[in-house]
Amino acid sequence: MTVAEKKDLKVIVFQLKDEEYAIEVDYVTSIEKMQKITRIPGVPSYIKGVMNLRGVIIPVVDLRSRFQLEEIDYEENTRILVLNKDGDEIGFIVDGANDVIDISSTDIEPTPEVVGGVKEEYLRGVVKMGDRLFTLLHLEKILPKVKD
């Protein structure tokens, strides 16, 4: 189902660097504070390892690293968005999770060719709400890349 086919979309807005991004809240199972991550040898550098979340082992990806943004030390506001897509759980490390909002498909505009250095293929569009602007991520494009 495309964004245009949906009337309204509920998204969680999170921060990476100086930009705000959004992902559909339907995929988000929880938002966790940073916790111990066990490194796994031989995986791409953007996969930080795995965490044990209430008895479930979940791979954790640093979205800054995945999007080739400068890495920073994790801070008090750093969060792990735990997502579930087709039964697979994965954690995304983000600089902060801001809020949950409803957007209309009319608020979504095509993605410009360059958006903060993040590859266009990962993006579904740009959402403009008043003076606020954030990028809607295309989870289906990010996850298959994480699994290879």
Side-chain angles (χ1 to χ4, degrees), residues 60-128:
V60 179
V61 171
D62 188 319
L63 277 190
R64 270 183 172 262
S65 180
R66 180 70 178 122
F67 293 160
Q68 299 173 346
L69 302 172
E70 70 174 299
E71 290 192 46
I72 61 169
D73 292 333
Y74 301 135
E75 300 173 345
E76 185 163 329
N77 290 332
T78 303
R79 294 290 181 264
I80 300 175
L81 301 179
V82 179
L83 309 174
N84 187 312
K85 174 78 169 86
D86 299 328
D88 293 325
E89 287 195 307
I90 189 163
F92 284 166
I93 300 172
V94 300
D95 294 349
N98 300 341
D99 49 17
V100 176
I101 60 173
D102 292 311
I103 60 173
S104 167
S105 60
T106 59
D107 294 327
I108 302 172
E109 298 183 10
T111 306
E113 288 185 27
V114 178
V115 179
V118 176
K119 291 183 181 178
E120 185 179 353
E121 69 180 286
Y122 301 142
L123 312 176
R124 287 176 67 180
V126 175
V127 179
K128 188 167 66 172

Side-chain angles (χ1 to χ4, degrees), residues 44-48 60-63 65-66 145-148:
S45 62
Y46 57 84
I47 299 177
K48 294 303 172 190
V60 179
V61 171
D62 188 319
L63 277 190
S65 180
R66 180 70 178 122
K145 303 290 188 203
V146 168
K147 291 182 177 182
D148 21 16

